[in-house]
Amino acid sequence: MASYLGPIKTAVFIFPFLAALLSLPFAVLQYRRYGSVLWSRTIVLFSFVFYMLCAYFLIILPLPSIHAVAALQTPRYNIVPFTFVREFVKYSGFELGNYHTWIQTLKQPSFLQPAFNLMLTVPFGFYMRYYFRRPWWQAVLLTFGLSLFYELTQLSGLYFIYPRPYRLFDVDDLLINTTGGLIGFWLTPLIAVAFPSRAKMDERSYARADRVGPLRRLVAWVIDYVIIAGLFGVLISIVLQLTVFKSLADNWFITSLLPMVCVLYLVPLGLHGQTWGKKLLRIRIVAVDGQPLTWWRLALR
């Protein structure tokens, strides 16, 4: 069990940083597609990201040393289907007529490994049906593709970082993982009662599309001032460094204030009230009294 808890703890540690990195593109996509960001949708989608992160770490962690992997003599792959069944019969000690063996069987690696591979993709099948609304055959194909990605990751020695695989490429894992995704798809009606309805989330999102709240303004401002104006300032500094005006490269007015004026004043003046960030989020600056946006109104703002 400790071998499973370790990767999950790593995912718990890394997830906040990954979530912070994904927050801006997530907000942009939500505003462009639905016109608003719902906390319920955010929780659902980021829970899917957390699940995918946990699943990935479970198939690659813990990472051994390169020297230890180079010295391995274990098989690199198994392409014989249903080997796990033969190993279960041979090593588990399970006897159908002897209930004393049942509990002990649950602790055997020959049972735990296939059970883990089955449970690994059950949530994936659930998300495919519940949120992404895929039919069963697409859920099966996508689960198989996910499992194949995991197996090729192992077969390649973590994308050739290691000289050989440190975990077995197993055709049985493809079969079991795909079955797990299908089980998750079938169980969706039972599990989905604990989640908000996708249809209701969409309905609420579209109903709020015309509202321009502080979060939407903040996202546009971050895109304009932090990203675009920041990159513009860096570009100006680099260009100045390569010319005879090198001494101006550290001038705050040129590298900071000028980009801000261009992005937050000249651009909306030319684009009729839209900066690049506002255009991306489908909002614009308008006069409260309905009058056209003039240069002095924009300057005053």
Side-chain angles (χ1 to χ4, degrees):
M1 188 59 67
S3 61
Y4 298 138
L5 291 178
I8 294 176
K9 289 179 181 179
T10 304
V12 170
F13 175 77
I14 292 180
F15 175 71
F17 301 98
L18 180 61
L21 187 64
L22 294 176
S23 293
L24 183 62
F26 170 78
V28 171
L29 289 173
Q30 293 300 300
Y31 280 122
R32 287 194 63 82
R33 183 168 184 179
Y34 301 104
S36 64
V37 175
L38 293 181
W39 282 112
S40 56
R41 192 192 306 276
T42 302
I43 293 172
V44 168
L45 287 177
F46 275 80
S47 69
F48 177 69
V49 172
F50 178 68
Y51 154 70
M52 293 294 286
L53 186 66
C54 288
Y56 182 71
F57 282 166
L58 282 166
I59 64 106
I60 69 168
L61 298 180
L63 296 177
S65 68
I66 293 180
H67 296 295
V69 173
L72 287 176
Q73 300 295 325
T74 54
R76 296 169 181 255
Y77 53 84
N78 167 49
I79 56 175
V80 181
F82 303 109
T83 299
F84 77 97
V85 176
R86 291 187 289 272
E87 290 184 348
F88 176 80
V89 172
K90 184 177 180 180
Y91 298 111
S92 68
F94 176 75
E95 296 179 19
L96 184 60
N98 184 359
Y99 68 89
H100 295 290
T101 65
W102 295 2
I103 299 298
Q104 191 62 31
T105 297
L106 299 179
K107 304 176 183 179
Q108 299 302 314
S110 57
F111 170 81
L112 289 175
Q113 188 65 32
F116 160 76
N117 285 322
L118 187 72
M119 296 302 298
L120 182 67
T121 51
V122 167
F124 187 78
F126 163 75
Y127 279 106
M128 288 302 103
R129 181 176 180 180
Y130 157 68
Y131 185 82
F132 297 103
R133 296 188 282 199
R134 301 293 182 180
W136 72 268
W137 62 271
Q138 288 187 14
V140 169
L141 289 177
L142 289 168
T143 307
F144 178 82
L146 178 68
S147 178
L148 183 61
F149 167 71
Y150 290 158
E151 294 304 308
L152 292 178
T153 295
Q154 295 173 339
L155 183 63
S156 65
L158 197 56
Y159 320 117
F160 306 104
I161 294 175
Y162 291 93
R164 55 150 290 163
Y166 61 92
R167 289 192 177 182
L168 184 72
F169 173 94
D170 196 339
V171 68
D172 283 342
D173 290 350
L174 293 173
L175 299 174
I176 296 173
N177 289 158
T178 304
T179 302
L182 187 58
I183 291 175
F185 183 91
W186 286 336
L187 292 177
T188 298
L190 300 177
I191 305 174
V193 296
F195 289 77
S197 166
R198 169 67 194 272
K200 289 183 178 179
M201 283 192 287
D202 291 350
E203 182 181 346
R204 290 174 58 197
S205 293
Y206 291 131
R208 299 181 181 183
D210 293 334
R211 303 177 188 176
V212 182
L215 179 60
R216 198 168 183 176
R217 298 169 187 264
L218 176 63
V219 172
W221 181 85
V222 169
I223 294 171
D224 287 324
Y225 185 72
V226 178
I227 298 178
I228 297 178
L231 293 175
F232 188 25
V234 171
L235 180 62
I236 292 176
S237 180
I238 293 174
V239 171
L240 291 175
Q241 289 281 358
L242 299 176
T243 64
V244 294
F245 304 103
K246 184 177 180 179
S247 60
L248 298 176
D250 295 327
N251 188 292
W252 176 84
F253 178 84
I254 295 176
T255 60
S256 297
L257 185 59
L258 182 60
M260 182 179 67
V261 171
C262 290
V263 172
L264 300 182
Y265 179 74
L266 296 180
V267 171
L269 192 62
L271 295 181
H272 308 289
Q274 283 190 308
T275 61
W276 289 311
K278 286 179 170 57
K279 191 175 183 66
L280 191 61
L281 295 183
R282 297 177 176 174
I283 58 177
R284 68 172 64 246
I285 304 168
V286 296
V288 177
D289 57 6
Q291 295 296 317
L293 189 65
T294 59
W295 67 268
W296 66 268
R297 286 174 180 264
L298 189 58
L300 184 60
R301 178 182 183 277

